[in-house]
Amino acid sequence: MSNLLKNDFYEYVNGEWMKTAVIPADKPATGGFQDLVDGIDKLLMTEFNTMLATKNNIPQGKMKDAIAYYELAKDYAMRDKLGTEPIQPLLSKIRDLKDYDDLNKQLTDWVLDGFPLPFALDVDQDMKNTQQNVLFAYPADTILPDKTYYEKEHPQGENLLKVFADMTIAVLEKMGHSQEEAKKIIQDALAFDRLIVPHVRSSEENADYSKNYNPRSFTEFCAYAPVLDLKDLVETLVETTPETIIVTEPDYFDALNELLTEENFPLLQNWLYIHTALGYTNLLSEELRQLGGTYARQLSGAPSAMPPEKAAFYLANGRFSQVVGQFYGTKYFGEKAKQDVQHMVQTMIGIYQDRLEKNEWLSKETRTKAITKLNKLGVQVGYPEKIPAFYEKFTSKADGGTLVANSRKFSRIVREDNFSRYGKTADRNEWEMSAATVNAYYHPFKNIIVFPAAILQAPFYSLEQSTSANYGGIGAVIAHEISHAFDNNGAKFDEYGNMNNWWTDADLNHFEKLAAKMIAEFDGIEFAGGKVNGTLTVSENIADAGGISCALAAAKKEADVSLDDFFTNWAKIWRTKAREQYQQLLLAVDVHAPAKLRANIQLQNVPEFFETYAITEGDGMYKAPANRVHIW
């Protein structure tokens, strides 16, 4: 048997592919997930261009507006001709601000029109009463992707800020500023950004999302920034005055008054200015589109901007995501595949229930509640029966035909819809992801798992693959999402999605010790010039462990079981070739461990893997039984 198999299973399965795989010039990576995304993009771009060429063949409904928006986005001749003209009124609006009173006079429209502010408001489910929608308040984002990038010893932080500054100066010059003016604007904006940094959380700190639940009285919230009329803002955004607002990062809001001083107003003004200017570059001329993406490409390592036609498709697909998803799902997702995947889901739920019933470390009380949560789990496969009603208001070209005008109109519709949901009952069945998205998710506030049509294809799933290969692919993804209901985050929410401790103290203590083992298993592993953060990635690693373990148990129940097919496809779905800059970015901000480690380390926790390939002490893939981590 191959030494490579015994020493690095991921390389054994994917090595030949790695030698020949080419990362597209406009992408940071290629591989299992990314290849499917590319395939979906090509398929839908062909559909879009066919509809554009023969408009009589466009399906009835909102696809007509999606194609009209695509036509606007694709008209680079008009975009080049207009230059920066479409956003000059927006820039003037910020330039004309004299003080906080000026801002207060237009604050509600400012929020609905999507202008930046040093905080954000949003309506979402109450984490302790998920039937109801409540108001959340979030801090501003930093320019660098994580606060750790601002530390002196960070290898990329200083250079990234220079790239950002140089890009912004170049953009501002294109928008009519002298170089001297542009330098002053970016200097002020970076100064305000620095004021934000000490008060926001890192990605690691935010990995525990129960920390985001910090209710504050409406009076307390309004007192965070006396210079802004937060009371009037909130009361005009939502129908009824809220008693409480959920503040995600109290430390930031406690410091907000210190940030919003009269002395800092010019810094804030220029911070608002650059975020607005940069935020619209992808809707302007081709030159500005490419220029405005410089910093993002530096972060990801991609040498080239997305080709113009593809960028136009991404704009339309992003804006009409659920419309396009429903079109894709209806046309390309078969009923046979849906039934097959639903069968796998029910099989996996049965495996999970059996494991919970036989669990030796949970008390009967906690075990019963865990099974109750599992039995209340909602399952959505393929595509939704209906899409959000706000899409009915999306009518392209109604505002004189400019891309910017249409984009702003649609964005406002979405924001108005979001705030209109305040105080109303949440819809458990509403999808939050397009059916044309290569992904899957567990929603802790709804206690549902969702598998969009786009991920239900090879190598994850195919009617042409063996049953075991499908279990090693989509089966493990299904079980992974179920496992999120019982990871270190999901375990804090009950069967209704409410944040509610349903564990006994002893069980919770034992679970936290097991989670600590999972943290230790990944923490500090050197990868791509950085190190894995075990705390940041623990929830996904727990879900991966549960996913592969339960999917394997399901595969073994089938008559045609092949453990080699199962393990091989598990390694295959994680195959990834990525640029180093992108890998380092993910190490800092992504809750998932690097793909290669997800493949190999989880296999080292599975006894059947060692038996199948006769892996013993001394082999690179070997791990002593005492060091293997088992939770579910």
Side-chain angles (χ1 to χ4, degrees):
M1 194 170 286
S2 165
N3 284 333
L4 186 57
L5 182 157
K6 290 172 175 274
N7 290 313
D8 188 335
F9 192 74
Y10 175 90
E11 289 292 334
Y12 167 74
V13 171
N14 299 308
E16 289 303 311
W17 172 86
M18 293 281 287
K19 290 176 186 175
T20 57
V22 177
I23 304 172
D26 64 327
K27 289 286 186 74
T30 191
F33 281 85
Q34 296 90 347
D35 287 351
L36 291 189
V37 171
D38 288 343
I40 296 286
D41 287 349
K42 288 173 185 173
L43 175 71
L44 288 175
M45 281 180 69
T46 300
E47 289 278 12
F48 271 46
N49 286 325
T50 300
M51 291 182 209
L52 194 56
T54 54
K55 293 181 180 178
N56 291 336
N57 294 332
I58 301 174
Q60 290 299 312
K62 290 287 109 180
M63 276 303 290
K64 289 183 180 295
D65 293 289
I67 297 304
Y69 191 76
Y70 174 57
E71 187 173 18
L72 279 175
K74 199 177 174 187
D75 188 355
Y76 283 94
M78 177 56 71
R79 290 169 62 170
D80 290 345
K81 180 182 176 183
L82 289 170
T84 65
E85 180 187 327
I87 69 156
Q88 287 301 333
L90 312 183
L91 299 178
S92 295
K93 196 167 184 167
I94 299 173
R95 271 200 308 269
D96 291 344
L97 289 174
K98 296 180 179 63
D99 50 31
Y100 293 106
D101 285 340
D102 262 2
L103 183 56
N104 280 323
K105 289 171 188 172
Q106 51 190 319
L107 199 52
T108 301
D109 275 334
W110 194 277
V111 169
L112 292 174
D113 282 333
F115 283 98
L117 281 171
F119 64 91
L121 296 173
D122 180 44
V123 172
D124 205 344
Q125 290 169 270
D126 188 327
M127 292 164 72
K128 287 197 173 181
N129 179 19
T130 54
Q131 290 287 303
Q132 292 299 306
N133 288 322
V134 294
L135 201 59
F136 281 74
Y138 302 87
D141 290 329
T142 56
I143 289 171
L144 293 179
D146 189 69
K147 71 181 297 180
T148 56
Y149 275 65
Y150 291 87
E151 295 168 0
K152 283 185 179 179
E153 60 272 20
H154 195 282
Q156 296 181 53
E158 189 176 336
N159 181 55
L160 284 170
L161 282 175
K162 185 180 185 306
V163 171
F164 181 85
D166 290 345
M167 172 192 74
T168 306
I169 290 168
V171 167
L172 292 177
E173 287 185 272
K174 297 291 180 189
M175 292 183 175
H177 291 278
S178 68
Q179 188 176 77
E180 188 177 340
E181 287 173 335
K183 285 181 177 179
K184 178 66 169 72
I185 291 170
I186 188 62
Q187 181 182 352
D188 285 354
L190 289 175
F192 192 79
D193 178 63
R194 284 281 183 182
L195 293 175
I196 292 170
V197 174
H199 308 294
V200 294
R201 292 189 194 136
S202 67
S203 297
E204 178 186 328
E205 291 167 326
N206 272 326
D208 178 355
Y209 46 71
S210 67
K211 289 179 181 176
N212 286 336
Y213 193 78
N214 305 285
R216 296 292 184 266
S217 73
F218 185 44
T219 304
E220 286 178 294
F221 175 75
C222 293
Y224 280 132
V227 294
L228 295 178
D229 195 346
L230 296 180
K231 182 176 185 295
D232 181 70
L233 171 65
V234 171
E235 288 179 340
T236 51
L237 285 174
V238 298
E239 284 185 9
T240 55
T241 303
E243 291 183 12
T244 59
I245 292 178
I246 313 302
V247 173
T248 58
E249 297 193 29
D251 288 350
Y252 177 81
F253 282 91
D254 286 340
L256 192 56
N257 194 33
E258 299 171 28
L259 300 182
L260 302 182
T261 62
E262 293 299 327
E263 183 184 35
N264 288 343
F265 184 78
L267 308 185
L268 168 66
Q269 186 176 23
N270 282 326
W271 180 86
L272 299 173
Y273 193 84
I274 67 150
H275 280 299
T276 302
L278 295 172
Y280 281 93
T281 53
N282 67 330
L283 301 173
L284 300 174
S285 67
E286 173 62 6
E287 182 182 34
L288 276 166
R289 181 186 77 84
Q290 294 213 23
L291 187 56
T294 306
Y295 172 66
R297 292 195 296 278
Q298 181 70 26
L299 270 177
S300 69
S304 302
M306 192 177 285
E309 184 176 88
K310 190 174 182 181
F313 163 74
Y314 264 60
L315 285 175
N317 186 33
R319 178 56 65 197
F320 287 81
S321 61
Q322 295 273 25
V323 174
V324 177
Q326 192 176 57
F327 165 78
Y328 171 80
T330 304
K331 183 167 183 178
Y332 290 101
F333 187 60
E335 187 60 30
K336 189 175 188 308
K338 183 172 184 176
Q339 290 175 0
D340 198 28
V341 172
Q342 285 176 328
H343 162 73
M344 293 176 76
V345 171
Q346 293 309 316
T347 301
M348 220 65 68
I349 289 173
I351 294 286
Y352 234 106
Q353 178 154 341
D354 182 62
R355 291 200 166 192
L356 287 170
E357 287 171 348
K358 294 176 181 176
N359 185 287
E360 295 179 353
W361 58 269
L362 285 176
S363 67
K364 183 179 179 181
E365 181 184 352
T366 305
R367 196 162 60 238
T368 299
K369 289 180 178 177
I371 292 170
T372 298
K373 181 174 185 179
L374 184 68
N375 289 335
K376 291 277 188 181
L377 185 70
V379 180
Q380 296 172 353
V381 175
Y383 56 94
E385 292 181 11
K386 62 177 184 177
I387 61 177
F390 65 74
Y391 280 105
E392 287 303 317
K393 298 178 182 178
F394 277 26
T395 306
S396 292
K397 294 195 177 182
D399 283 330
T402 73
L403 182 60
V404 169
N406 277 270
S407 174
R408 293 189 65 230
K409 179 185 67 172
F410 296 154
S411 295
R412 180 158 179 140
I413 289 169
V414 173
R415 291 187 192 93
E416 288 174 341
D417 176 78
N418 178 256
F419 288 116
S420 76
R421 297 179 183 221
Y422 175 78
K424 295 176 182 172
T425 303
D427 182 1
R428 190 189 192 209
N429 296 317
E430 184 172 279
W431 284 46
E432 296 184 4
M433 187 178 282
S434 163
T437 304
V438 182
N439 212 330
Y441 67 93
Y442 169 74
H443 197 308
F445 307 164
K446 296 180 179 179
N447 193 30
I448 59 170
I449 49 176
V450 181
F451 304 98
I455 198 173
L456 302 175
Q457 52 182 314
F460 293 91
Y461 170 80
S462 171
L463 292 169
E464 308 302 316
Q465 290 179 171
S466 72
T467 304
S468 292
N470 280 338
Y471 273 114
I474 197 62
V477 172
I478 291 167
H480 169 106
E481 300 306 337
I482 296 172
S483 296
H484 272 312
F486 306 100
D487 69 15
N488 61 306
N489 277 314
K492 295 171 183 173
F493 297 82
D494 64 19
E495 69 269 28
Y496 301 108
N498 294 322
M499 193 163 73
N500 173 28
N501 182 19
W502 45 271
W503 297 66
T504 66
D505 289 344
D507 289 341
L508 187 59
N509 183 52
H510 188 86
F511 174 75
E512 287 173 346
K513 287 179 179 176
L514 292 174
K517 286 186 177 181
M518 187 64 79
I519 290 172
E521 187 170 42
F522 282 81
D523 197 51
I525 297 175
E526 294 187 357
F527 193 85
K531 290 185 178 180
V532 178
N533 184 331
T535 302
L536 174 64
T537 59
V538 62
S539 64
E540 293 296 335
N541 291 331
I542 290 173
D544 276 347
I548 189 172
S549 178
C550 292
L552 178 60
K556 289 167 70 175
K557 285 179 174 289
E558 302 290 340
D560 60 345
V561 60
S562 164
L563 296 193
D564 179 52
D565 281 1
F566 178 90
F567 291 127
T568 298
N569 206 39
W570 163 263
K572 186 177 181 182
I573 65 173
W574 299 118
R575 69 184 186 189
T576 302
K577 190 171 187 177
R579 304 184 195 280
E580 188 168 280
Q581 297 100 309
Y582 183 62
Q583 291 174 320
Q584 290 174 353
L585 171 65
L586 294 183
L587 286 173
V589 302
D590 191 8
V591 293
H592 303 85
K596 177 175 180 174
L597 302 183
R598 293 180 77 175
N600 274 351
I601 291 177
Q602 296 298 353
L603 289 175
Q604 292 175 306
N605 292 324
V606 178
E608 290 90 337
F609 175 71
F610 300 92
E611 297 162 9
T612 301
Y613 300 110
I615 291 169
T616 57
E617 193 169 356
D619 293 329
M621 287 298 297
Y622 181 77
K623 182 172 287 187
N627 297 327
R628 298 171 195 169
V629 182
H630 302 281
I631 299 181
W632 303 115

